[in-house]
Coordinates of all heavy atoms in Angstrom, one line a residue:
Chain A
G3 N 22.1 7.0 -19.8 CA 20.9 7.7 -19.3 C 19.7 7.1 -19.6 O 19.6 6.1 -20.3
V4 N 18.6 7.6 -19.0 CA 17.2 7.3 -19.3 C 16.9 7.7 -20.7 O 17.0 8.8 -21.1 CB 16.3 7.8 -18.2 CG1 14.8 7.4 -18.5 CG2 16.7 7.5 -16.8
T31 N 14.2 0.8 -10.3 CA 12.9 1.4 -10.0 C 12.6 2.3 -11.2 O 13.5 3.2 -11.6 CB 12.9 2.0 -8.7 OG1 13.4 1.2 -7.7 CG2 11.6 2.5 -8.3
Y35 N 5.7 10.2 -14.8 CA 5.1 11.5 -14.5 C 4.4 12.1 -15.8 O 4.9 11.9 -16.9 CB 6.1 12.5 -14.1 CG 6.7 12.1 -12.7 CD1 7.8 11.2 -12.6 CD2 6.4 12.8 -11.5 CE1 8.4 10.9 -11.4 CE2 7.0 12.5 -10.3 CZ 8.0 11.4 -10.3 OH 8.6 11.1 -9.0
Q37 N 3.3 15.8 -17.3 CA 3.6 17.2 -17.2 C 2.7 18.0 -18.2 O 3.0 18.0 -19.4 CB 5.0 17.6 -17.3 CG 5.3 19.0 -17.1 CD 6.8 19.4 -17.1 OE1 7.7 18.7 -17.6 NE2 7.2 20.5 -16.5
G40 N 2.8 24.2 -18.7 CA 2.7 25.3 -17.8 C 2.7 24.8 -16.3 O 2.5 25.6 -15.4
Q41 N 2.8 23.4 -16.1 CA 2.7 22.8 -14.8 C 4.0 22.0 -14.5 O 4.7 21.6 -15.4 CB 1.4 22.1 -14.7 CG 0.1 22.9 -14.9 CD -1.2 21.9 -14.7 OE1 -1.0 20.8 -13.9 NE2 -2.2 22.3 -15.3
G42 N 4.0 21.7 -13.3 CA 5.1 20.8 -12.8 C 4.7 19.4 -13.1 O 3.5 19.1 -13.3
P43 N 5.6 18.4 -13.1 CA 5.2 17.0 -13.4 C 4.4 16.5 -12.3 O 4.6 16.9 -11.0 CB 6.6 16.4 -13.3 CG 7.6 17.4 -13.8 CD 7.1 18.6 -13.1
F45 N 3.1 12.9 -10.4 CA 3.4 11.5 -10.3 C 2.2 10.6 -10.8 O 1.0 10.7 -10.3 CB 3.6 11.2 -8.9 CG 4.0 9.7 -8.5 CD1 5.1 9.0 -9.0 CD2 3.0 9.0 -7.8 CE1 5.2 7.7 -8.6 CE2 3.2 7.7 -7.5 CZ 4.4 7.0 -7.9
Q48 N 4.7 4.2 -10.0 CA 6.1 3.7 -9.8 C 6.2 2.3 -9.8 O 5.2 1.6 -9.4 CB 6.8 4.1 -8.5 CG 8.2 3.8 -8.4 CD 8.8 4.2 -7.1 OE1 8.6 3.6 -5.9 NE2 9.6 5.5 -7.0
Y50 N 8.7 -1.3 -9.2 CA 10.0 -1.9 -8.7 C 9.9 -3.4 -8.7 O 8.8 -4.0 -8.3 CB 10.0 -1.4 -7.0 CG 11.2 -2.0 -6.4 CD1 12.6 -1.8 -6.8 CD2 10.9 -3.0 -5.3 CE1 13.6 -2.4 -6.0 CE2 12.0 -3.5 -4.6 CZ 13.3 -3.3 -5.0 OH 14.4 -3.8 -4.3
N55 N 4.4 0.0 -7.4 CA 4.8 0.4 -6.0 C 4.4 1.7 -5.7 O 5.1 2.7 -5.4 CB 6.3 0.3 -5.8 CG 6.9 0.7 -4.5 OD1 6.4 0.2 -3.6 ND2 7.9 1.6 -4.5
G56 N 3.1 2.0 -5.8 CA 2.6 3.3 -5.5 C 2.0 3.9 -6.7 O 2.5 3.7 -7.8
L90 N 7.0 11.9 -18.7 CA 8.3 11.7 -18.2 C 8.5 10.5 -17.5 O 7.8 10.0 -16.7 CB 8.8 12.8 -17.3 CG 8.7 14.3 -17.9 CD1 9.0 15.3 -16.7 CD2 9.8 14.5 -18.9
S94 N 15.6 5.2 -10.8 CA 16.3 5.3 -9.6 C 16.9 4.0 -9.1 O 16.4 2.9 -9.6 CB 15.5 5.9 -8.5 OG 14.3 5.3 -8.3
R96 N 17.2 1.7 -5.7 CA 16.8 1.7 -4.3 C 18.0 1.7 -3.4 O 18.8 0.8 -3.4 CB 15.9 0.3 -4.2 CG 15.3 0.2 -2.8 CD 14.1 1.2 -2.8 NE 13.5 1.2 -1.5 CZ 13.3 2.3 -0.7 NH1 13.9 3.4 -1.1 NH2 12.9 2.3 0.5
Q99 N 18.8 5.5 1.6 CA 18.2 6.9 1.7 C 17.0 7.2 0.8 O 16.8 6.3 0.0 CB 19.3 7.9 1.4 CG 20.5 7.9 2.3 CD 21.5 8.9 2.1 OE1 21.6 9.4 0.8 NE2 22.2 9.4 3.0
T100 N 16.4 8.3 0.7 CA 15.4 8.6 -0.3 C 16.1 8.6 -1.6 O 17.1 9.1 -1.9 CB 14.9 10.0 -0.1 OG1 14.3 10.0 1.3 CG2 13.8 10.3 -1.1
D101 N 15.4 7.9 -2.5 CA 16.1 7.6 -3.8 C 15.9 8.9 -4.7 O 14.9 9.5 -4.8 CB 15.4 6.5 -4.5 CG 15.2 5.2 -3.7 OD1 16.2 5.1 -2.7 OD2 14.5 4.3 -3.9
T102 N 17.1 9.1 -5.5 CA 17.1 10.3 -6.4 C 16.5 9.8 -7.7 O 17.0 8.8 -8.2 CB 18.5 10.8 -6.5 OG1 19.1 11.1 -5.2 CG2 18.6 12.0 -7.5
Q103 N 15.7 10.6 -8.3 CA 15.0 10.3 -9.6 C 15.9 10.9 -10.7 O 16.2 12.1 -10.7 CB 13.7 10.8 -9.6 CG 12.7 10.3 -8.5 CD 12.4 8.9 -8.6 OE1 12.1 8.4 -9.6 NE2 12.7 8.2 -7.5
F105 N 15.7 11.6 -14.8 CA 14.7 11.8 -15.8 C 15.1 11.6 -17.1 O 16.2 11.9 -17.6 CB 14.0 13.2 -15.6 CG 13.0 13.3 -14.5 CD1 13.6 13.5 -13.2 CD2 11.6 13.0 -14.6 CE1 12.8 13.7 -12.1 CE2 10.8 13.2 -13.5 CZ 11.4 13.4 -12.2
G106 N 14.2 11.0 -18.0 CA 14.4 10.9 -19.3 C 14.0 12.3 -20.1 O 13.5 13.1 -19.4
P107 N 14.1 12.3 -21.3 CA 13.8 13.5 -22.1 C 12.3 13.7 -22.3 O 11.8 14.8 -22.7 CB 14.4 13.3 -23.5 CG 14.6 11.8 -23.7 CD 14.7 11.3 -22.2
Chain B
K9 N 6.1 32.7 -11.2 CA 6.1 31.9 -12.5 C 7.4 32.4 -13.1 O 8.0 31.5 -13.9 CB 4.9 32.2 -13.2 CG 3.7 31.4 -13.0 CD 2.7 31.5 -14.1 CE 1.5 30.5 -13.8 NZ 1.9 29.2 -13.6
E32 N 11.7 15.7 2.7 CA 12.9 15.5 1.9 C 12.7 16.4 0.6 O 11.8 16.1 -0.2 CB 13.0 14.1 1.5 CG 14.2 13.6 0.8 CD 15.4 13.4 1.7 OE1 15.3 12.6 2.6 OE2 16.5 14.0 1.5
F34 N 14.0 18.8 -2.8 CA 14.9 18.8 -4.0 C 14.7 20.1 -4.8 O 13.5 20.6 -4.9 CB 14.6 17.5 -5.0 CG 14.8 16.2 -4.2 CD1 13.8 15.8 -3.5 CD2 15.9 15.5 -4.5 CE1 13.9 14.5 -2.8 CE2 16.1 14.2 -3.9 CZ 15.1 13.7 -3.0
Y36 N 15.1 20.8 -8.9 CA 15.4 20.3 -10.2 C 15.5 21.5 -11.1 O 14.7 22.5 -11.0 CB 14.4 19.3 -10.7 CG 14.6 17.9 -10.2 CD1 14.2 17.5 -8.9 CD2 15.2 16.9 -10.9 CE1 14.3 16.2 -8.5 CE2 15.3 15.6 -10.5 CZ 15.0 15.2 -9.3 OH 15.2 14.0 -8.8
Q38 N 15.7 22.6 -15.4 CA 15.6 22.2 -16.8 C 16.1 23.4 -17.8 O 15.4 24.4 -17.8 CB 14.1 21.8 -17.3 CG 13.9 21.2 -18.6 CD 12.6 20.6 -18.8 OE1 11.7 20.9 -18.1 NE2 12.6 19.5 -19.6
R43 N 16.8 17.7 -20.5 CA 15.9 17.1 -19.6 C 16.0 17.6 -18.3 O 16.9 18.3 -17.9 CB 16.3 15.5 -19.6 CG 17.6 15.3 -19.0 CD 18.1 13.7 -19.2 NE 18.2 13.4 -20.5 CZ 18.2 12.1 -20.8 NH1 18.0 11.1 -20.0 NH2 18.3 11.8 -22.1
L44 N 15.0 17.3 -17.5 CA 15.0 17.7 -16.1 C 16.2 17.1 -15.4 O 16.4 15.8 -15.5 CB 13.6 17.1 -15.5 CG 13.1 17.8 -14.2 CD1 12.8 19.3 -14.5 CD2 11.8 17.2 -14.0
Q45 N 16.9 17.8 -14.6 CA 18.0 17.1 -13.9 C 18.1 17.7 -12.5 O 17.7 18.9 -12.1 CB 19.3 17.5 -14.6 CG 19.6 19.0 -14.9 CD 20.9 19.1 -15.7 OE1 22.0 19.1 -15.2 NE2 20.7 19.4 -17.0
L46 N 18.6 17.0 -11.6 CA 18.7 17.3 -10.2 C 19.8 18.4 -10.0 O 20.8 18.2 -10.5 CB 19.1 16.1 -9.4 CG 19.3 16.3 -7.8 CD1 18.0 16.7 -7.2 CD2 19.9 15.2 -7.2
R49 N 19.8 18.5 -3.3 CA 18.8 18.1 -2.4 C 19.3 18.4 -1.0 O 20.4 18.6 -0.8 CB 18.7 16.5 -2.6 CG 20.0 15.8 -2.3 CD 19.9 14.3 -2.7 NE 19.1 13.6 -1.8 CZ 18.7 12.4 -1.9 NH1 19.3 11.6 -2.9 NH2 17.9 11.8 -1.1
I51 N 19.4 17.2 1.9 CA 20.2 16.5 2.9 C 21.7 16.5 2.5 O 22.5 16.2 3.4 CB 19.7 15.0 3.0 CG1 19.9 14.3 1.6 CG2 18.4 15.0 3.4 CD1 19.8 12.8 1.8
M84 N 14.3 26.7 -16.3 CA 13.1 26.4 -15.4 C 13.6 25.7 -14.2 O 14.3 24.8 -14.4 CB 12.0 25.7 -16.4 CG 10.8 25.6 -15.7 SD 10.0 27.2 -15.9 CE 8.4 26.7 -15.2
Y86 N 12.4 23.7 -10.6 CA 11.3 23.1 -9.9 C 11.6 22.7 -8.7 O 12.6 22.1 -8.4 CB 10.8 21.8 -10.7 CG 10.0 22.2 -12.1 CD1 10.9 22.1 -13.3 CD2 8.9 22.4 -12.1 CE1 10.3 22.3 -14.5 CE2 8.2 22.6 -13.4 CZ 8.9 22.5 -14.5 OH 8.4 22.9 -15.7
A90 N 9.8 14.9 -1.7 CA 9.7 13.4 -1.9 C 8.7 12.9 -0.8 O 8.7 13.3 0.4 CB 11.0 12.7 -1.6
D92 N 7.8 9.8 -0.1 CA 8.2 8.6 0.6 C 9.7 8.4 0.3 O 10.4 9.0 -0.5 CB 7.3 7.4 0.3 CG 7.4 6.9 -1.2 OD1 8.4 7.3 -1.8 OD2 6.6 6.2 -1.6
S93 N 10.2 7.3 0.9 CA 11.7 7.0 0.8 C 11.9 6.5 -0.5 O 13.1 6.3 -0.9 CB 12.2 6.0 1.9 OG 11.6 4.7 1.6
W94 N 10.9 6.1 -1.3 CA 11.1 5.7 -2.7 C 11.4 6.8 -3.7 O 11.6 6.6 -4.9 CB 9.9 4.7 -3.2 CG 9.9 3.5 -2.5 CD1 9.3 3.4 -1.2 CD2 10.3 2.2 -2.9 NE1 9.3 2.0 -0.9 CE2 10.0 1.3 -1.8 CE3 11.0 1.8 -4.0 CZ2 10.4 -0.1 -2.0 CZ3 11.4 0.5 -4.1 CH2 11.0 -0.5 -3.1
G95 N 11.3 8.0 -3.2 CA 11.6 9.1 -4.1 C 10.4 9.6 -4.9 O 10.7 10.3 -5.9
K96 N 9.2 9.2 -4.7 CA 8.0 9.7 -5.5 C 8.0 11.2 -5.2 O 8.0 11.6 -4.0 CB 6.7 8.9 -5.1 CG 6.9 7.4 -5.2 CD 5.5 6.9 -4.8 CE 5.5 5.4 -4.7 NZ 6.3 4.8 -3.6
L97 N 7.9 12.0 -6.2 CA 8.0 13.4 -6.1 C 6.8 14.2 -6.3 O 6.0 13.8 -7.3 CB 9.1 13.9 -7.1 CG 10.5 13.5 -6.8 CD1 11.5 13.9 -7.9 CD2 11.1 13.9 -5.5
Q98 N 6.5 15.1 -5.5 CA 5.5 16.1 -5.7 C 6.1 17.4 -6.1 O 6.9 17.9 -5.3 CB 4.6 16.4 -4.4 CG 3.7 17.4 -4.5 CD 2.3 16.9 -4.4 OE1 2.0 15.7 -4.1 NE2 1.3 17.7 -4.8
F99 N 5.8 17.9 -7.4 CA 6.5 19.2 -7.8 C 5.7 20.3 -7.6 O 4.4 20.3 -7.6 CB 6.8 18.9 -9.3 CG 7.9 18.0 -9.7 CD1 7.7 16.7 -9.8 CD2 9.2 18.6 -9.9 CE1 8.8 15.9 -10.2 CE2 10.2 17.7 -10.2 CZ 10.1 16.4 -10.4
G100 N 6.4 21.6 -7.5 CA 5.6 22.7 -7.7 C 5.6 23.0 -9.1 O 6.0 22.3 -10.0
A101 N 4.9 24.2 -9.5 CA 4.6 24.6 -10.8 C 5.9 25.1 -11.6 O 5.7 25.1 -12.8 CB 3.5 25.6 -10.8
G102 N 6.9 25.5 -10.8 CA 8.0 25.9 -11.6 C 8.2 27.4 -11.6 O 7.2 28.1 -11.5

Side-chain angles (χ1 to χ4, degrees):
Chain A
V4 179
T31 306
Y35 292 81
Q37 186 174 18
Q41 297 181 25
F45 173 72
Q48 183 182 81
Y50 174 65
N55 181 45
L90 298 170
S94 56
R96 188 70 185 122
Q99 296 183 337
T100 301
D101 305 339
T102 298
Q103 305 292 309
F105 285 84
Chain B
K9 277 196 174 302
E32 184 86 49
F34 302 79
Y36 277 82
Q38 188 166 29
R43 65 185 64 194
L44 201 57
Q45 58 185 279
L46 179 68
R49 55 190 296 177
I51 62 165
M84 193 72 176
Y86 293 97
D92 64 15
S93 69
W94 293 83
K96 302 179 185 78
L97 297 171
Q98 174 107 18
F99 283 88

